[in-house]
Amino acid sequence: MRPLSFGRLATRLPVLAFLLLALLSAALPASAQDTADLLPVTEAYKLSTDAATPGVLKLHWTIAPDYYLYRGRMKFKGGDGVTLGEAQLPDGEKHHDEYLGDVETYHHGVDASIPYTVAAGTARLQLSVQYQGCHEVDPKICYPPHTEKLDLPLPANAGDAATPAAGNALGAALNRLGSNTGIATAGAPLPAEQAFRFEALAQGPQQLLLRWTMPKGYYLYRDQTTLKLKDAAGLTLEPAWPAGTAHHDEHYGDVTVYFDQVELPVTLGGDLAGRRRLTLQASFQGCQDGGLCYPLMTRAVDIDLGSGSVASGAVAPELPPADLDGGPLQASLVAALLLALGGGLVLNLMPCVLPVLSIKAVSVLESGDSQATARRHALFYTAGVLCSFAALGLGILALRAAGHALGWGSQLQQPLLVGALACVMLAVGLSMSGVVQFGASLGNTGAGLAGRSGPAGDFFTGVLAVVVASPCTAPFMGSALAYAFAAPMLSALLVFLALGMGLALPFLAVGFVPALARLLPRPGRWMETLKQVLAFPMYLTAAWLVWVLANQRGADAVGLVLVAMVLLAMTLWWFERSRSHGAPSKVAVAVLALATLVPMYLLAHVPPPSSTSVAEEGVVAYSAEKLAELRAAGTPVFVDMTADWCVTCKANEHAVLDTQAFRNLLQRTGAVYMKGDWTDVNPAISAFLQQYHSPGVPLYVVFPRNGGPGKQLSTVLTRSIVEQALTEAAR
């Protein structure tokens, strides 16, 4: 039997090449073709404004037919010098949403009014308006949250918050609010700096005291307060919140608040290493009792650890996005590139990549003692990897710029892509098993292609490696990808290319370092047996992808992809038998190939099952409402965002989260294990990932008992990491 060359494999399998190029050209979801006729978000929901009335901003959305807006997903935030009151929105149509639970929605149109005050000297009414909606007929999709920045001229006599016109308008608005809701209204609200005075005192080398002072009638939320240190790697903050006042809030439910004044002791954890000064940043939110609620406030204070002096917090201005391509942040780009290079290198060891790397290993062994051939293998493989990572990065960044939410590996949320990859893995496995050979001539065209089959095979092996690497997350990749998903396009593209260079680095080293190449075993007849043995990881990968599909779309989808795989196997079998036959046999091959596409077409239209998950014992399904309820009750929570196609997630579950030791730890600390399944598209989980700037799954966040900020853990878990985080959260 003629030895099988994997350079010839890729070029002799047109279906494989077509699928890979289509899938990686922009990393688009498989349903992108179906969504081409959807309106842009600003046309589906046309926003108009009316700022003619001093102290009140009126908004109106015109909603296109077959679209709707969520009432609970509307958020408003004032700009510099602008303090917004509570937005007045009508009741919406109540229904149960598959992902968000019980919601209210608007069709056709909706009006909102927002009371506001402006600080002295403010010339413009600036604010941001965030909203989210969905298309309710096929294709049924939800837009990611969309934010519009408004910059409006102030009406006459509204430029100063202290002017009678502004005060009377706001007072009238609050009085109307009070008469409609039955609550008592207060006087005109104070500026945020006067309503919430914040200061910090160093009581010792490891101990801080934070203090908020509010006038009578104002209160501070405990659970809306977050603390962090700037430029202090290795140091932690451990707040010890005092008992507060139980309060039922219209938006947050049962919460703990503080009136008048609250003092918060905070312990500094970690080695201060002779530090004399620290910069602490506090973000918090509060309300006027019976009046408006202030937007999130951020104050930064410099603390002298040696003097014990009190530092007052100034409002930290909201800066525009930093230029990450130059200036002082250049070091961040360098760090991200190094992390990406290391993550790509470790990616070679991930179980989802190893089956494809076996193809490349055999190709390198086939090169024998020829250094020129080894270098050619390395260069064209690297070109395939880099081009694929560039296409993947550009596609994700283009979707990000268009307002779509897409994370690392999330293309496997698309059932058609999962099914296509399963067929590709089956085809590669069959070729390695010798069922089909792609080295023989296919007429004159095939003979002409034979001379350039080697480089093309190396290139497409690199493409295939990137396709199957996308569900995996290696150490160091999380930080690099998070940087890339937030950075300008050029910086982000460099990070993706660094990931590709790390993935290709081992084969570059073998191709260009003769000493390493000499360590490889000599080619021989044993290689044919090795190829056939290495086919079985391909079959296992195909089986895993079918399992992922079962969890996404159920038994009907599994049946369709199995039919497609059988038809593909029949196509390849008859293709091999038809070599010595005439044109009718080759027509039969084409007919079988087309028949393979029919179940794949049907697969793209299989709806998700009504219930996609089965409740696990001791696990709470993620919802933002349930998380807020547990945190308000003072319960530590371990949040696990996972997906069936995420190999790193499954490895962490096997090693740590699905063990009796972890269950005992939960019981000992009184913590709740909350899991979110991102196997299929889920806007609620996507929003949580965005909140923690995570490029994808896995994401692990531990929320402490005292209501402090959540602590994000490493993407690769160990028992000691989880035990330490939950033990600290239970204090």
Side-chain angles (χ1 to χ4, degrees), residues 368-609:
D369 294 329
S370 172
Q371 287 299 313
T373 306
R375 286 194 295 270
R376 187 204 67 196
H377 280 306
L379 288 174
F380 280 96
Y381 172 79
T382 301
V385 169
L386 293 181
C387 288
S388 301
F389 263 108
L392 186 64
L394 288 173
I396 290 175
L397 295 172
L399 288 174
R400 184 190 72 180
H404 296 275
L406 189 68
W408 178 256
S410 62
Q411 58 267 34
L412 288 188
Q413 291 177 336
Q414 309 304 324
L416 180 58
L417 177 56
V418 175
L421 281 176
C423 291
V424 168
M425 292 300 169
L426 175 66
V428 174
L430 290 174
S431 67
M432 297 176 74
S433 295
V435 173
V436 61
Q437 299 262 341
F438 294 94
S441 173
L442 295 176
N444 293 333
T445 302
L449 289 173
R452 52 181 188 270
S453 62
D458 295 327
F459 182 89
F460 282 110
T461 304
V463 172
L464 185 59
V466 176
V467 173
V468 299
S470 59
C472 292
T473 303
F476 318 121
M477 280 182 63
S479 299
L481 285 172
Y483 179 94
F485 277 57
M489 182 167 289
L490 178 59
S491 298
L493 185 58
L494 289 175
V495 171
F496 278 100
L497 290 176
L499 278 168
M501 185 58 67
L503 181 61
L505 196 57
F507 289 112
L508 278 175
V510 169
F512 284 85
V513 180
L516 293 177
R518 284 194 292 271
L519 297 177
L520 297 175
R522 302 287 182 184
R525 295 177 59 86
W526 60 271
M527 288 176 53
E528 191 65 31
T529 301
L530 176 62
K531 292 173 185 177
Q532 295 177 9
V533 169
L534 292 177
F536 292 99
M538 296 295 176
Y539 298 137
L540 288 174
T541 304
W544 165 66
L545 288 165
V546 173
W547 173 75
V548 170
L549 189 62
N551 290 331
Q552 289 178 332
R553 290 296 185 269
D556 289 344
V558 171
L560 287 171
V561 77
L562 290 177
V563 170
M565 294 170 80
V566 170
L567 289 172
L568 177 61
M570 187 183 300
T571 302
L572 297 177
W573 167 74
W574 188 251
F575 167 75
E576 185 67 24
R577 289 180 60 89
S578 67
R579 293 184 187 278
S580 58
H581 295 74
S585 293
K586 293 179 173 56
V587 171
V589 172
V591 171
L592 286 171
L594 291 174
T596 304
L597 299 178
V598 174
M600 298 302 291
Y601 171 80
L602 297 175
L603 173 63
H605 295 83
V606 175

Side-chain angles (χ1 to χ4, degrees), residues 9-21:
L9 182 153
T11 55
R12 296 301 190 275
L13 190 55
V15 175
L16 169 64
F18 174 78
L19 284 173
L20 293 176
L21 288 174

Side-chain angles (χ1 to χ4, degrees), residues 22-68:
L23 296 175
L24 284 174
S25 61
L28 290 171
S31 60
Q33 295 179 351
D34 299 332
T35 62
D37 295 331
L38 290 174
L39 294 173
V41 64
T42 53
E43 293 185 20
Y45 315 101
K46 294 182 179 179
L47 175 62
S48 57
T49 61
D50 178 3
T53 303
V56 178
L57 173 64
K58 298 178 182 179
L59 305 175
H60 175 76
W61 283 268
T62 301
I63 305 173
D66 298 327
Y67 293 80
Y68 63 85

Side-chain angles (χ1 to χ4, degrees), residues 267-315:
T267 301
L268 284 170
D271 184 8
L272 292 173
R275 286 179 178 266
R276 294 279 302 175
R277 303 189 67 83
L278 287 174
T279 299
L280 182 141
Q281 183 173 296
S283 297
F284 50 89
Q285 189 173 13
C287 298
Q288 181 186 25
D289 195 16
L292 64 80
C293 286
Y294 290 75
L296 192 69
M297 296 163 274
T298 299
R299 313 276 176 87
V301 294
D302 290 324
I303 304 173
D304 188 339
L305 298 177
S307 66
S309 60
V310 176
S312 297
V315 178

Side-chain angles (χ1 to χ4, degrees), residues 96-179:
H96 185 79
D97 188 276
E98 180 181 358
Y99 299 111
L100 302 178
D102 295 327
V103 297
E104 296 182 33
T105 59
Y106 300 118
H107 290 77
H108 310 302
V110 61
D111 291 288
S113 62
I114 310 173
Y116 68 86
T117 58
V118 292
T122 302
R124 307 279 296 179
L125 178 59
Q126 297 178 332
L127 69 154
S128 61
V129 179
Q130 185 182 99
Y131 53 90
Q132 184 177 13
C134 299
H135 188 236
E136 60 185 348
V137 298
D138 288 334
K140 296 181 180 180
I141 67 107
C142 289
Y143 293 88
H146 177 72
T147 300
E148 291 194 34
K149 301 287 187 179
L150 303 182
D151 188 350
L152 308 172
L154 286 169
N157 301 324
D160 192 334
T163 62
N168 291 341
L170 179 60
L174 291 176
N175 285 332
R176 288 195 298 272
L177 175 62
S179 62

